[in-house]
Structure formats: structure tokens, C-alpha cells
């Protein structure tokens, strides 16, 4: 089979499932419904011909544009390097959300799943210590560390040409869905489908919780990421409210 054409590679809790849901309905695009987690797990080891990866696409018409979504890829270890080794011409869709809002959403997800037993304040203060303890902690509790957007984007630029990367803003996705989906279709080179102005809400859980936190914790969070955010804003032009209104 031909190689996968594009990956929605991050970031977590920034609308990647919403994009994937609607792209799967496009007549020229085929994507597995689930996250594949190929490049961030042992699935990619000793798979020189990428057979295990391509098995996810074995019943798909090769004339279609093939894609997948696994939002941990942009953040986790050597994933992007592995992707470049797989297909140096692959296209990447990256969507970014205000890091503090993203962290609250990720914390809520882990709490509801039963993985998180600390308060949000405790989780942020103890994050670096926790992440060193296990790979599972790195995956589940990296609320702040996933907010180093410029560092992650720079890593992508070191491995891929800029024209291979589409950078999106979560606020634009939510507030101007049709325009955002048009930019994605232009990027992928597929025919233009008419998507709704107000998309169906796609979520892994119906539960909503108000996360309590101390303003001191929020200041610590923002101060830690402020230099990375400044570089990210300069590169992309994106502004995030929690980092501007301080």
C-alpha cells in the first residue's frame, strides 16, 4: 500500500477529535476511527516494513488520502523523528490551544478516568517530579510540559519542511469551523466539502467539571511557559488570553 499521507499529531485536548470526525466523512479521505499510537509505543519496534502500521489501512482504497490522528505524537519523545523516517514527505496538522485551558481540560479527563487523585494545584506543583517516575505518568500527567509549544514546533521544523505543516488555532476551529476545515482541505489537496458552520460537539465524555485552582498556581504555570510562549507567538501570531491578560 502507499504510505500514510497525513497525521493529526497534536496537541491533546485541542479539537483533534473534532477535526478527525469530520475528515472521516470526506469521500476522498480515509482515517481509522481510533488513535493508532504506533509511533509512541512498542508497535513501531522491529516493524521495518511498517506492516503493523499499514494493517490499520488494509481495507482502504489506495486512491484515497490516508491519515490518522494521535495527538501525543508532537509531545512524546522521538515520535516526530520516527514519523520523518517513515515518510519524510508526510503532511502534519497541528492545532494549538491556550496552554492553561488545555491543561485544565487534560486534568479533568485524567480525573474522570480515575488516573488523577491530586488537586490541580498539587498536580502542577509536583508535575516534574511525577513525570520522572514512570512512562505512564509522562503520558497522563504532563499538563504543563505539553504547553511548551514553541519547543515542540521547532522540533517539527527541524525534521520537516514548513510547507508540510499546517498550524491551526483552537479558537478559530471553534469560532470559524467552516473556514478552518477549508484550510485543512486546501492543505491536503482534496475536493472541497461543505462543512456545517456549527459542528456537532464531539467529546469523549459527557461530564463537565469546574476545576478549582489557586491563582498562585496559574501564575506559576504562566511564568514557567512565558519565554516559550513569547517565541511561539512570534512564530505563529497566535495569542492566548491567559498569557496576554497577566
Amino acid at each position: 500500500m502507499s504510505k500514510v499521507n497525513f497525521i493529526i499529531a497534536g496537541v491533546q485536548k485541542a479539537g483533534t477529535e473534532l477535526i478527525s470526525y469530520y475528515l472521516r466523512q470526506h469521500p476522498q479521505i480515509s482515517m481509522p476511527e481510533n488513535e493508532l499510537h504506533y509511533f509512541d509505543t512498542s508497535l513501531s519496534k522491529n516493524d521495518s516494513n511498517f506492516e503493523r502500521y499499514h494493517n490499520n489501512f488494509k481495507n482502504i482504497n489506495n486512491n484515497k488520502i490516508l491519515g490518522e490522528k494521535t495527538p501525543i505524537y508532537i509531545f512524546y519523545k522521538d515520535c516526530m523523528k520516527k514519523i520523518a523516517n517513515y515518510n519524510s514527505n508526510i503532511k502534519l496538522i497541528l492545532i494549538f490551544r491556550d496552554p492553561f485551558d488545555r491543561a485544565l481540560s487534560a486534568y479533568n479527563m485524567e480525573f474522570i478516568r480515575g488516573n488523577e487523585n491530586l488537586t490541580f494545584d498539587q498536580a502542577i506543583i509536583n508535575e516534574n517530579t511525577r513525570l520522572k517516575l514512570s512512562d505512564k505518568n509522562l503520558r497522563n500527567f504532563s499538563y504543563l510540559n505539553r504547553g511548551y509549544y514553541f519547543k515542540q514546533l521547532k522540533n517539527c521544523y527541524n525534521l520537516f519542511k514548513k510547507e508540510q505543516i499546517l498550524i491551526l488555532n483552537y479558537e478559530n476551529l471553534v469560532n470559524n469551523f467552516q473556514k478552518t476545515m477549508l484550510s485543512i482541505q486546501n492543505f491536503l489537496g482534496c475536493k472541497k466539502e461543505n462543512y456545517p458552520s456549527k459542528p456537532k460537539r464531539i467529546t469523549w465524555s459527557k461530564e463537565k467539571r469546574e476545576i478549582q485552582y489557586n491563582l498562585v498556581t496559574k501564575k506559576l504555570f504562566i511564568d514557567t511557559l512565558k519565554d516559550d510562549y513569547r517565541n511561539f507567538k512570534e512564530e505563529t501570531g497566535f495569542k492566548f488570553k491567559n498569557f496576554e491578560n497577566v
Side-chain angles (χ1 to χ4, degrees):
M1 63 164 281
S2 58
K3 290 189 175 181
V4 173
N5 304 106
F6 74 93
I7 294 177
I8 304 172
V11 298
Q12 179 203 55
K13 309 307 295 179
T16 58
E17 177 55 28
L18 178 63
I19 295 171
S20 176
Y21 175 84
Y22 280 97
L23 286 183
R24 289 197 302 270
Q25 299 179 36
H26 194 290
Q28 291 182 327
I29 295 173
S30 287
M31 300 178 66
E33 185 172 347
N34 297 328
E35 296 177 7
L36 297 188
H37 286 283
Y38 176 83
F39 294 103
D40 64 299
T41 65
S42 60
L43 288 172
S44 59
K45 291 183 179 179
N46 302 316
D47 191 25
S48 57
N49 294 321
F50 304 101
E51 183 177 353
R52 284 195 291 269
Y53 190 45
H54 290 161
N55 280 342
N56 295 287
F57 305 89
K58 61 183 177 182
N59 296 320
I60 291 175
N61 186 333
N62 277 350
N63 292 325
K64 290 197 172 187
I65 299 171
L66 304 181
E68 69 129 319
K69 171 197 70 103
T70 308
I72 199 175
Y73 285 163
I74 190 176
F75 169 74
Y76 189 79
K77 298 181 180 179
D78 295 324
C79 285
M80 302 313 295
K81 185 177 181 180
K82 291 178 181 179
I83 292 170
N85 289 335
Y86 165 71
N87 182 2
S88 61
N89 295 313
I90 203 164
K91 293 183 177 182
L92 301 174
I93 297 174
L94 307 176
I95 183 165
F96 296 93
R97 181 181 184 181
D98 185 303
F100 190 73
D101 290 344
R102 194 217 67 80
L104 289 172
S105 181
Y107 171 85
N108 185 54
M109 178 177 69
E110 297 301 339
F111 185 90
I112 293 173
R113 285 177 170 173
N115 295 326
E116 182 60 86
N117 55 22
L118 299 184
T119 66
F120 183 77
D121 296 313
Q122 292 169 336
I124 296 303
I125 292 169
N126 294 289
E127 178 168 314
N128 288 336
T129 300
R130 297 173 90 193
L131 299 192
K132 294 175 183 177
L133 296 178
S134 69
D135 182 73
K136 181 180 179 181
N137 283 6
L138 178 63
R139 291 172 178 275
N140 293 348
F141 305 142
S142 46
Y143 309 123
L144 187 152
N145 277 268
R146 292 195 193 218
Y148 285 102
Y149 291 165
F150 182 73
K151 178 182 178 182
Q152 296 169 66
L153 186 58
K154 187 177 179 181
N155 181 48
C156 294
Y157 285 161
N158 288 336
L159 295 166
F160 304 94
K161 298 176 182 177
K162 284 190 175 183
E163 54 265 31
Q164 291 175 242
I165 304 172
L166 179 64
I167 301 172
L168 302 171
N169 189 323
Y170 173 80
E171 293 299 324
N172 292 339
L173 176 70
V174 172
N175 296 318
N176 202 332
F177 183 72
Q178 284 182 323
K179 185 176 180 180
T180 301
M181 293 304 295
L182 177 61
S183 69
I184 293 172
Q185 291 176 94
N186 286 334
F187 176 67
L188 296 177
C190 55
K191 74 175 187 178
K192 310 305 181 293
E193 290 290 297
N194 291 320
Y195 288 102
S197 57
K198 292 184 178 181
K200 173 183 176 182
R201 185 171 184 265
I202 307 301
T203 179
W204 66 276
S205 171
K206 300 294 183 184
E207 298 184 58
K208 278 185 153 184
R209 296 174 59 250
E210 185 75 25
I211 308 300
Q212 302 298 319
Y213 59 85
N214 194 305
L215 290 178
V216 174
T217 303
K218 182 177 182 179
K219 184 178 187 304
L220 171 64
F221 188 104
I222 292 170
D223 286 347
T224 302
L225 293 177
K226 65 181 180 181
D227 290 339
D228 184 272
Y229 170 68
R230 183 174 61 249
N231 291 327
F232 179 79
K233 182 172 74 170
E234 183 177 337
E235 174 64 34
T236 64
F238 294 175
K239 294 182 179 180
F240 299 129
K241 65 181 188 304
N242 285 307
F243 288 76
E244 295 292 322
N245 303 324
V246 293

